[in-house]
Amino acid sequence: MARASTGSSSSALVSKLLISSLLLGCYCLVSEAQTTPPLVKGLSWTFYKTSCPKLENIIRNRLKKVFKKDIGQAAGLLRLHFHDCFVQGCDGSVLLDGSASGPSEKDAPPNLSLRAEAFRIINDLRARVHKECGRVVSCADITAIAARDSVFLSGGPNYRVPLGRRDGLSFATREATLANLPAPSSNTSALLTSLATKNLDATDVVALSGGHTIGIGHCTSFTSRLYPSQDSTMNKYFASQLKLTCPTATTDNTTNLDIRTPNVFDNKYYVDLMNRQGLFTSDQDLYTDKRTRPIVTSFAVNQTLFFEKFVYSMLKMGQLSVLTGTQGEIRANCSAPNSATTYLSSIADEEEGTSAAF
Ligand code: HEM
Ligand SMILES: *[C@@H]1O[C@H](CO)[C@@H](O)[C@H](O)[C@H]1NC(C)=O
Ligand SMILES: *[C@@H]1O[C@H](CO)[C@@H](O)[C@H](O)[C@H]1NC(C)=O
Ligand SMILES: *[C@@H]1O[C@H](CO)[C@@H](O)[C@H](O)[C@H]1NC(C)=O
Ligand SMILES: *[C@@H]1O[C@H](CO)[C@@H](O)[C@H](O)[C@H]1NC(C)=O
Ligand SMILES: *[C@@H]1O[C@H](CO)[C@@H](O)[C@H](O)[C@H]1NC(C)=O
């Protein structure tokens, strides 16, 4: 069984598999090159093969340009997919105007605030994809592919994403949003309990938390560990540096989640934890708790293992309560359900897309 491409020999293996899968006209690549959880009914590896064959190229080529200007957007897009999936399933509902951490939400608490630019990037990708193929690809699928490309283009593993998600018709309540996203102040027990409701186990919890190898956090997400008294599990020098960034508990400032390689998707997040330099309680406690500590250590010493487990857990997360088949819809605008758009403008969108496809 081969693993996610992390070295030249495995990428050579991947291209060999790719060539043989093309020759044989099958999609052996997936089952052989990547360990995957069972697919949910309605999702498939080849969903847009005939309806939008260029889909993944369009997204990757566009994101390469976006990240060249600002690699921080990769973190924003990865977190967007996480918030989408954890609240009401991966149905693009986080993208809707009015959702608790959505594009129009000006007073979401900072622990929820997603980057405004991430929503614009998804809408721009949707426009490019629909121009090429017509309105056939969902906003939820575009978000899942964008998250994968964010991981890969930041230095992480490449992997295939099962597709066929449909977009939800409504966004989750603020209460449901808060109830489904664990707080950064959570300890490991709370995380394990919370994620178990989504059928995610301790390995999934540790692997998915590795998403914090890129991106930033606001002071208010971690200053309870500094004031009024310092969390004893935090490295003292690290704490003194954080106090310079956040002189008060409510300073509006941000800092990197991974102090070693803040913009690279690698296993250094786990090395941070072993050095008591995890930013949130939810991060650092994974090394304190006996149940998860060996998993943290195993990822810190073996990046290949981390990449393998991360891909597996992302595929599990990416299939949470998805809508498929005739459920939901394919949104013409990721920020609004189709019922909110006029009939004429959505028809015009489709015709433009159809003519561009020929
Ligand atoms: C396990 C429970 C999790 C908790 C408690 C948590 C909490 C947080 C918090 C509080 C922030 C910073 C928000 C801010 O202060 O601005 C953050 C950022 C981030 N999270 Fe998580 N998170 C969790 C899981 C995940 C997962 C599963 C992923 C993806 C696989 C992820 C990816 C990210 C990324 C990439 C950022 C940086 C975003 C940016 O730079 O814009 N997190 N997370
Ligand atoms: C976010 O902060 C609000 C108040 O600022 C709090 O009620 C909520 O529980 C926090 N949620 C998360 C997910 O951290
Ligand atoms: C973890 O957090 C929960 C909820 O805040 C608390 O009841 C529990 O005592 C904590 N467990 C440990 C081991 O600190
Ligand atoms: C924000 O953090 C930077 C870097 O640590 C620091 O130099 C600056 O003073 C902080 N801003 C405020 C308002 O405290
Ligand atoms: C690291 O993990 C990979 C993937 O599970 C495994 O094949 C490899 O033997 C491990 N390397 C070491 C040095 O343990
Ligand atoms: C998409 O929907 C949002 C929310 O209704 C709206 O503000 C925006 O103008 C729409 N975009 C387009 C291109 O129609």
Side-chain angles (χ1 to χ4, degrees), residues 95-98 103-104 123 126-127 332-337 340-341 345 349:
L95 302 169
L96 291 172
D97 247 353
S104 68
N123 264 319
R126 184 212 54 75
N333 172 350
C334 293
S335 309
T341 340
S345 71
D349 280 353

Side-chain angles (χ1 to χ4, degrees), residues 185-211:
S185 57
S186 310
N187 58 29
T188 299
S189 291
L191 281 190
L192 292 174
T193 305
S194 167
L195 273 70
T197 65
K198 303 187 188 317
N199 199 25
L200 296 168
D201 63 20
T203 305
D204 295 317
V205 169
V206 177
L208 288 172
S209 295

Side-chain angles (χ1 to χ4, degrees), residues 283-355:
D283 298 316
Q284 191 57 55
D285 200 52
L286 295 173
Y287 189 65
T288 309
D289 193 296
K290 281 194 196 70
R291 291 165 294 179
T292 43
R293 183 177 186 138
I295 310 173
V296 169
T297 307
S298 72
F299 292 167
V301 301
N302 189 340
Q303 179 166 278
T304 306
L305 180 66
F306 164 50
F307 282 4
E308 250 182 35
K309 300 292 182 188
F310 181 78
V311 167
Y312 190 88
S313 301
M314 281 292 279
L315 293 177
K316 273 173 89 173
M317 183 179 93
Q319 301 190 71
L320 288 172
S321 304
V322 289
L323 303 176
T324 59
T326 56
Q327 297 172 314
E329 62 184 10
I330 304 297
R331 260 178 235 153
N333 172 350
C334 293
S335 309
N338 292 341
S339 61
T341 340
T342 72
Y343 179 69
L344 282 177
S345 71
S346 51
I347 290 295
D349 280 353
E350 278 189 273
E351 277 176 356
E352 192 194 317
T354 310
S355 56

Side-chain angles (χ1 to χ4, degrees), residues 132-314:
E132 173 75 23
C133 306
R135 181 159 53 87
V136 295
V137 182
S138 66
C139 296
D141 274 347
I142 290 172
T143 305
I145 297 169
R148 186 272 313 276
D149 287 354
S150 298
V151 168
F152 176 63
L153 295 172
S154 302
N158 203 3
Y159 58 94
R160 297 199 63 202
V161 178
L163 300 169
R165 295 169 191 78
R166 307 261 303 172
D167 294 322
L169 303 176
S170 60
F171 51 79
T173 62
R174 192 182 180 85
E175 292 68 40
T177 304
L178 288 170
N180 281 283
L181 292 168
S185 57
S186 310
N187 58 29
T188 299
S189 291
L191 281 190
L192 292 174
T193 305
S194 167
L195 273 70
T197 65
K198 303 187 188 317
N199 199 25
L200 296 168
D201 63 20
T203 305
D204 295 317
V205 169
V206 177
L208 288 172
S209 295
H212 291 170
T213 178
I214 54 173
I216 56 175
H218 286 79
C219 295
T220 49
S221 296
F222 57 85
T223 43
S224 63
R225 302 185 66 202
L226 301 173
Y227 312 112
S229 60
Q230 215 164 290
D231 183 333
S232 62
T233 64
M234 189 187 275
N235 172 282
K236 290 201 169 56
Y237 182 70
F238 182 56
S240 68
Q241 294 303 111
L242 289 178
K243 283 178 172 172
L244 297 178
T245 302
C246 313
T248 75
T250 56
T251 308
D252 186 15
N253 211 350
T254 60
T255 195
N256 293 326
L257 301 183
D258 170 10
I259 56 159
R260 285 185 167 70
T261 50
N263 296 318
V264 182
F265 196 100
D266 58 13
N267 66 339
K268 293 293 189 294
Y269 162 83
Y270 301 101
V271 177
D272 298 339
L273 301 188
M274 291 185 75
N275 287 281
R276 300 168 178 270
Q277 294 158 327
L279 193 61
F280 307 138
T281 301
S282 61
D283 298 316
Q284 191 57 55
D285 200 52
L286 295 173
Y287 189 65
T288 309
D289 193 296
K290 281 194 196 70
R291 291 165 294 179
T292 43
R293 183 177 186 138
I295 310 173
V296 169
T297 307
S298 72
F299 292 167
V301 301
N302 189 340
Q303 179 166 278
T304 306
L305 180 66
F306 164 50
F307 282 4
E308 250 182 35
K309 300 292 182 188
F310 181 78
V311 167
Y312 190 88
S313 301
M314 281 292 279

